[in-house]
Amino acid sequence: MSGGGGGGGLGAGFSYQKFVHVALEQTRLRTALAPHPSQEKFKFIKTNEDNTVLNALSFSAPKIRLLRSLAIEQKNSVQVLDFAAFSEPEYDLPIFCANAFTSPARSIVVLDLNPLYDTTEHEDYREKYYRNLMPHIHKYSELLPWGGKITGESLRFFSPIVIWTILEPTEANHQVLYSAFMDYYKVWLELMDEAVQEISVEKIDRNREAQHKYLTWRAEKDPGYPLLKKLIGECAAKDLVREFLFEGVDSLGTKPFLQYFPEYAQKDGTVNKKRSMIGKSFESRPWDAHGRFIGDATTSEYDG
């Protein structure tokens, strides 16, 4: 790997395991983690390639329905992290989401507190969770700049503080990413600590459906699925997506993908599998300093 960005290449020793280890340590300081039922099935999952290791961990806690991590390590090649935390439906907390894909050429990263409710339509939700968090994106917007053109489809579950970036995989950049990951995760843990249990059955049901809608989208559109299919086979990859990464998609609700997202229906009733649709694409951050959506989009067909 070539050096750059203020540091040398990461080399063969690089791993996302430190991110996972420290995040779990921080969580245990605040709550009691117990193994999630999905842990047993996927803990020892084996790959088709000798040089590749999958590490799957999942937990639950009093306010946390699912905390799970999947790390893929391919010797001298690819390193992947997919880390997420989902609250119980009695809380309307954002979903912590960290996705990173590092190859010898570049690192592609999404780090966010994905909103349970659209922050443009639900200003009260934006004010409740994001108004006080905007300094975090100001802190990292130069170090981890906007990654370039992205479709409105990809923005669907992003918040105003999302970090979406493409980096040269240097040690210096990796340290910045680790710092951002820990800052964002500690914020999520603080929100979890402060969260007050909802008692309205109607609101709990609404939270459950909102989380199910998110899981349904992610399970259908997971960009890591082709890699998983290659590493562990189609059947195991489907199980991993639905029963581990987005566990709850088959239990929190019954609505299918096209009931939530009818615009993806094809004439034969199947789901349009294109990674993106004709629509708007965004070349720069489409939120202002207060977290309000401002667009700045071009209308075009873009396959991301």
Side-chain angles (χ1 to χ4, degrees), residues 18-31 33 67 83 178 182 185 189:
K18 177 186 175 186
F19 289 50
V20 176
H21 178 73
V22 178
L24 293 177
E25 273 188 348
Q26 289 292 322
T27 311
R28 287 188 176 101
L29 292 175
R30 296 169 181 267
T31 190
L33 287 179
L67 171 66
F83 187 100
Y178 173 75
M182 290 315 305
Y185 189 60
L189 288 174

Side-chain angles (χ1 to χ4, degrees), residues 85-293:
F86 304 85
S87 67
E88 292 283 6
E90 285 78 11
Y91 307 91
D92 66 356
L93 285 171
I95 296 155
F96 180 82
C97 163
N99 293 101
F101 176 93
T102 296
S103 71
R106 61 182 183 170
S107 291
I108 304 170
V109 177
V110 172
L111 180 61
D112 196 17
L113 273 62
N114 291 157
L116 201 60
Y117 297 100
D118 185 290
T119 58
T120 303
E121 294 176 20
H122 301 269
E123 288 186 28
D124 55 337
Y125 190 81
R126 186 183 74 218
E127 287 292 301
K128 179 179 179 179
Y129 285 118
Y130 296 101
R131 186 167 64 90
N132 294 331
L133 301 184
M134 292 311 294
H136 287 278
I137 196 57
H138 302 152
K139 176 179 177 181
Y140 288 108
S141 59
E142 286 190 23
L143 293 167
L144 300 169
W146 188 254
K149 188 180 282 191
I150 192 170
T151 60
E153 170 184 294
S154 299
L155 287 179
R156 189 184 287 267
F157 289 102
F158 284 179
S159 85
I161 64 163
V162 65
I163 292 173
W164 137 247
T165 193
I166 299 175
L167 301 165
E168 190 179 352
T170 64
E171 183 61 37
N173 283 340
H174 182 62
Q175 288 302 324
V176 172
L177 180 58
Y178 173 75
S179 172
F181 173 87
M182 290 315 305
D183 278 357
Y184 273 49
Y185 189 60
K186 285 177 183 175
V187 161
W188 189 86
L189 288 174
E190 286 164 13
L191 293 175
M192 183 267 296
D193 266 353
E194 295 162 4
V196 177
Q197 184 169 335
E198 183 57 68
I199 55 172
S200 160
V201 173
E202 183 186 353
K203 287 183 179 177
I204 293 169
D205 286 345
R206 201 159 69 224
N207 291 342
R208 185 182 290 107
E209 179 166 292
Q211 194 174 134
H212 184 252
K213 181 179 181 180
Y214 174 93
L215 293 166
T216 301
W217 172 268
R218 292 295 308 274
E220 177 67 35
K221 293 282 185 177
D222 181 32
Y225 177 74
L227 177 62
L228 291 175
K229 184 177 170 183
K230 176 177 173 246
L231 292 176
I232 60 176
E234 184 173 10
C235 187
K238 283 182 178 175
D239 285 351
L240 188 67
V241 167
R242 297 190 72 86
E243 298 175 27
F244 181 83
L245 291 177
F246 307 112
E247 191 278 328
V249 70
D250 295 318
S251 60
L252 288 187
T254 56
K255 282 187 183 179
F257 182 87
L258 290 177
Q259 202 166 338
Y260 286 127
F261 310 104
E263 66 272 26
Y264 284 85
Q266 300 191 115
K267 288 179 182 177
D268 63 357
T270 59
V271 176
N272 188 327
K273 297 287 186 182
K274 280 182 70 176
R275 284 292 306 142
S276 60
M277 304 283 281
I278 293 174
K280 293 182 174 181
S281 60
F282 299 86
E283 295 191 17
S284 57
R285 175 171 289 279
W287 295 274
D288 68 13
H290 303 287
R292 292 186 293 259
F293 191 77

